Amino acid sequence: MLARRPTIEIIGAPQDLGQSLRGVDMGPSAIRVAGLVDRLTGLGFTVVDRGDVPCCSMATHPEGDPRSRFAAAVAQDAETIADQVADVVAGGNFPLVLGGDHSIAIGTLGGLARHDPRQAIIWVDAHGDFNTPETSPSGNVHGMPLAAVLGDGDPRLVQAAGVNPKALGSHTVLIGLRDIDPGEAARLRDSDVRWYTMRDIDERGIRPIMDEVVAHVTREGVDKIHVSFDMDALDPRHAPGTGTPVTGGLTYREGHLMMELLSDADIVTSAEFVEVNPALDERNRTASMAVELIASLCGQRIL
């Protein structure tokens, strides 16, 4: 775990197939340019950057079923990402995956699940990512990865990386929700996933919610906990460079306090940060914010 200062291995996943706006494939490079490696080494970690995995291109792969656009290519990329993640875990190191759109989580969690499918997930996002082809209004796969990881949706995504399900729904928590499709909302209400909307955060505050989250994901002896952080969870004032911004998100300090409390708990064993789109950003602000959040998760403090 991070407090024990393991080696962190960075994996770039420059995939943009899961959504409609171009540019998110440059996210891993933007986060690196924002000083990620220097920040982590300054915190005392050994850092290995594995570079970017090769990802499929919209130009050379068919869209396929409009209800699940580019699903075959996303599943192919998931296998490649899973191979890299599984190799990092096998070496006893901490995988840090940089996206790319949020559909890369299918590969990240697939690679982790090859070692232990009884893993918990803390999914920080403005959206539920719990659609299936039947409920999605857009057919964009970046709105479906959490459903696929937990075993529901397009069979190609569900079976990707050779593990199904890839995590425990009963140990999955969604934080920061504020933009949910109607069919997706019904599916979430019928699931065993726990969720916290922005209203919950407004009314109760981040600290008590994170205390509950930590208790929930660590119950019954689960000791593999993955953080999947979509930068659109933050209010667009703080993270303008993302493809699906929604007003009213987490503040700068709420985002950092979440990461700081997870660091204090010393429970996180893997992480990914996704949906940084430099083409939509302002002077690389969103990538820089991602670096700051990663640093807080890795133990950086004010004093």
Side-chain angles (χ1 to χ4, degrees):
M1 295 183 187
L2 280 168
R4 300 168 197 173
R5 295 295 187 272
T7 295
I8 297 175
E9 296 201 40
I10 297 169
I11 301 166
Q15 177 179 277
D16 67 352
L17 298 166
Q19 44 78 66
S20 301
L21 294 174
R22 306 308 300 272
V24 74
D25 57 318
M26 298 185 288
S29 295
I31 297 171
R32 291 184 177 101
V33 167
L36 176 62
V37 173
D38 287 346
R39 186 69 66 90
L40 293 177
T41 55
L43 291 170
F45 293 94
T46 299
V47 180
V48 175
D49 191 341
R50 288 180 167 235
D52 290 347
V53 300
C55 289
C56 297
S57 167
M58 289 184 184
T60 56
H61 287 76
E63 177 180 307
D65 187 345
R67 300 178 307 162
S68 185
R69 300 172 60 249
F70 296 105
V74 170
Q76 181 178 326
D77 286 349
E79 297 284 349
T80 307
I81 297 165
D83 289 344
Q84 290 289 315
V85 170
D87 193 51
V88 172
V89 176
N93 295 330
F94 185 100
L96 174 60
V97 184
L98 310 177
D101 70 68
H102 214 160
S103 63
I104 70 163
I106 298 169
T108 303
L109 283 150
L112 297 170
R114 289 178 184 175
H115 292 272
D116 187 356
R118 282 183 48 82
Q119 59 187 316
I121 307 172
I122 300 171
W123 193 281
V124 187
D125 205 320
H127 309 91
D129 293 355
F130 214 63
N131 273 307
T132 65
E134 292 72 32
T135 64
S136 172
S138 67
N140 289 335
V141 173
H142 78 158
M144 308 180 190
L146 185 55
V149 162
L150 299 182
D152 199 7
D154 188 306
R156 294 167 294 185
L157 304 177
V158 170
Q159 298 296 335
V163 187
N164 175 37
K166 299 171 177 57
L168 297 169
S170 58
H171 287 68
T172 296
V173 182
L174 270 162
I175 307 173
L177 295 174
R178 60 191 185 279
D179 185 16
I180 308 296
D181 297 316
E184 179 183 36
R187 296 192 69 256
L188 275 170
R189 286 193 293 265
D190 290 340
S191 76
D192 54 3
V193 173
R194 178 173 291 200
W195 67 86
Y196 296 90
T197 68
M198 284 307 303
R199 175 173 177 170
D200 296 317
I201 293 169
D202 291 341
E203 291 181 340
R204 300 181 54 199
I206 280 290
R207 179 60 192 251
I209 285 174
M210 292 309 297
D211 287 344
E212 286 183 6
V213 168
V214 170
H216 183 71
V217 298
T218 55
R219 62 193 173 91
E220 299 175 9
V222 173
D223 59 2
K224 300 292 188 300
I225 296 163
H226 176 69
V227 170
S228 189
F229 198 111
D230 188 320
M231 294 301 292
D232 71 22
L234 298 164
D235 192 88
R237 293 173 299 167
H238 309 298
T242 187
T244 50
V246 185
T247 302
L250 297 168
T251 66
Y252 178 94
R253 276 307 313 159
E254 285 171 337
H256 275 288
L257 184 55
M258 289 175 64
M259 298 299 100
E260 290 164 356
L261 292 171
L262 289 174
S263 175
D264 290 348
D266 190 22
I267 60 172
V268 178
T269 53
S270 58
E272 65 194 340
F273 286 75
V274 304
E275 299 283 358
V276 172
N277 188 330
L280 304 173
D281 209 1
E282 302 169 358
R283 300 183 301 279
N284 216 28
R285 282 177 57 200
T286 305
S288 296
M289 183 69 178
V291 171
E292 293 179 20
L293 291 169
I294 293 167
S296 288
L297 180 63
C298 294
Q300 180 169 292
R301 295 294 179 269
I302 296 169
L303 288 174

